[in-house]
Amino acid sequence: MNSDYSDEEKCTQEQIDQVTEWIESVGYQPHLSQGVERTLIGAIGDDRGKAHLKSAAFLPGVEKVVPILKPYKLTGREFREHNTVIRVGDAAIGGGEYTVMAGPCSVESEEQMMESGYVVKKAGAKILRGGAFKPRTSPYSFQGMEEEGLKLLRKVGDKVGLPVVTEVMNTMDVDTVEQYTDILQIGARNVQNFSLLKKVGHCRKPILLKRGMSTTIEELLMSAEYILSEGNDQVILCERGIRTFETATRNTLDISAVPVLKELTHLPVIIDPSHATGHAKYVIPITRASVAAGADGAIIEVHPQPEKALVDGPQSLRPEEFYRLMDEVAILADAMRGIGRLS
């Protein structure tokens, strides 16, 4: 795959159209990225025909043709240097603020969701989370309220004034989930479900893509590539812990993945400290660490009564704990911005 770079001060819309039409004529799919200083046109397709793309250098308005060597093309900084900012409601994920998504792991009842929604809103989080479809290791465990859960999540989100995020597990459910939610989540178990990735690539809403338990950073970026290559460039990457030999926590949060991803990709990067640690007492310190590491936010489980939660109660914060976390995050985020201004 090659990328065509056109100097925006010199190229016209007609020239951009000519380049995109030419890319299609040689069997490639064009992807346009218009920045402040230049317009980039990516050519996505089979490497066997990449020799043809060199000829694009002779088209009017083209400054240069640059081959992208990494296997992920659209997700890498070679294609887009500036950070992608995803706007959902009042939240701007990737725009320099630390954005928190929070709520219970599973939608259980209207009362539980309404209380959770007000807690999340009061604390200052920007997005309400709640699972309607729950992937469980045991077939006998609670599997979620499904569409009824989606309706409750949407109702509460509208009531408290927050956009909502929930997981989609099946290609057949994508249209239904997109109807009720503002962000569609792809969970760790589906990070390489390529049929599902292609399907959500046609959605017009952002996708929250979680890293799998045994997924490398490159594999995570390749999964994101599936979504972007289908036309949806609104992808949020989530480090949620990987499986190691350690048993003290549920998973091992790879905090180093945050700066590595920030270097390799323009997509925003958040963490999931709840699933990473599996213990509420570790969620606050791990979240603090992610602020210092440069993460764009976190998705955190909060429940009004964790001891009564149907799913993942031990890793869910109580309201008073969540208020404390949000206070500490605000202090740390402000301090990190100060360090950035000094550097």
Side-chain angles (χ1 to χ4, degrees):
M1 196 282 281
N2 291 57
S3 286
D4 299 330
Y5 293 71
S6 302
D7 190 313
E8 197 169 41
E9 293 181 354
K10 298 178 181 178
C11 72
T12 65
Q13 184 60 50
E14 182 181 0
Q15 291 170 333
I16 293 173
D17 293 340
Q18 288 176 348
V19 173
T20 56
E21 290 173 6
W22 182 86
I23 289 173
E24 291 174 339
S25 73
V26 295
Y28 281 73
Q29 182 180 358
H31 283 263
L32 188 67
S33 175
Q34 291 183 298
V36 176
E37 298 178 354
R38 61 179 58 188
T39 296
L40 285 70
I41 305 176
I44 309 300
D46 195 321
D47 281 350
R48 288 175 296 182
K50 63 183 180 182
H52 293 293
L53 296 173
K54 295 179 181 179
S55 302
F58 300 103
L59 296 174
V62 175
E63 180 184 0
K64 58 183 175 179
V65 176
V66 179
I68 295 179
L69 301 179
K70 289 185 170 63
Y72 44 88
K73 313 301 183 182
L74 302 175
T75 61
R77 286 201 180 273
E78 289 176 278
F79 178 69
R80 183 179 298 175
E81 181 180 355
H82 301 291
N83 292 333
T84 291
V85 180
I86 297 176
R87 302 184 185 281
V88 185
D90 292 334
I93 308 160
E97 300 293 325
Y98 192 89
T99 303
V100 175
M101 312 176 190
C105 182
S106 177
V107 177
E108 300 167 9
S109 68
E110 183 171 350
E111 180 183 6
Q112 169 245 16
M113 279 307 304
M114 197 63 75
E115 186 173 353
S116 299
Y118 281 117
V119 167
V120 169
K121 177 75 171 183
K122 180 181 177 181
K126 297 296 186 180
I127 298 166
L128 177 65
R129 63 154 294 162
F133 299 88
K134 296 307 301 177
R136 308 302 301 281
T137 302
S138 170
Y140 309 112
S141 299
F142 175 63
Q143 304 289 316
M145 295 179 67
E146 301 183 342
E147 188 169 357
E148 185 60 32
L150 290 174
K151 293 178 180 178
L152 282 178
L153 181 63
R154 180 77 270 162
K155 179 180 180 179
V156 173
D158 291 342
K159 181 71 174 180
V160 302
L162 290 175
V164 299
V165 55
T166 196
E167 182 172 356
V168 59
M169 297 169 50
N170 194 304
T171 55
M172 295 183 295
D173 297 324
V174 170
D175 293 339
T176 301
V177 174
E178 186 179 16
Q179 177 185 347
Y180 290 105
T181 193
D182 299 292
I183 302 174
L184 289 81
Q185 175 184 309
I186 302 295
R189 291 174 176 85
N190 277 315
V191 68
Q192 290 187 311
N193 183 339
F194 301 123
S195 296
L196 183 57
L197 297 177
K198 287 181 178 180
K199 180 70 173 179
V200 299
H202 294 281
C203 292
R204 288 177 291 180
K205 293 182 178 178
I207 308 300
L208 172 59
L209 180 64
K210 288 193 173 185
R211 184 182 181 184
M213 289 179 284
S214 302
T215 305
T216 66
I217 287 175
E218 183 171 293
E219 287 168 343
L220 174 63
L221 291 173
M222 291 302 295
S223 291
E225 190 79 10
Y226 266 89
I227 301 172
L228 270 72
S229 67
E230 295 295 330
N232 188 346
D233 62 355
Q234 299 183 86
V235 177
I236 305 160
L237 302 175
C238 181
E239 165 58 44
R240 49 82 68 202
I242 54 177
R243 177 171 289 175
T244 68
F245 55 80
E246 186 53 69
T247 58
T249 54
R250 183 175 181 178
N251 297 285
T252 299
L253 185 88
D254 183 6
I255 196 68
S256 65
V258 173
V260 171
L261 285 168
K262 296 293 288 183
E263 179 183 20
L264 295 176
T265 181
H266 54 85
L267 299 174
V269 180
I270 70 170
I271 69 156
D272 179 352
S274 303
H275 281 92
T277 65
H279 298 281
K281 62 183 177 181
Y282 301 135
V283 169
I284 294 178
I286 291 299
T287 305
R288 291 197 301 248
S290 75
V291 178
D296 295 298
I299 181 166
I300 296 169
E301 292 187 3
V302 180
H303 197 289
Q305 294 180 293
E307 67 278 3
K308 295 183 179 180
L310 297 180
V311 181
D312 288 343
Q315 66 193 38
S316 300
L317 296 181
R318 297 180 182 278
E320 59 272 18
E321 295 172 324
F322 185 58
Y323 294 144
R324 179 162 65 91
L325 177 144
M326 292 298 290
D327 288 341
E328 294 184 6
V329 161
I331 294 170
L332 284 168
D334 188 60
M336 292 306 299
R337 282 192 291 270
I339 292 174
R341 289 191 290 267
L342 293 173
S343 60

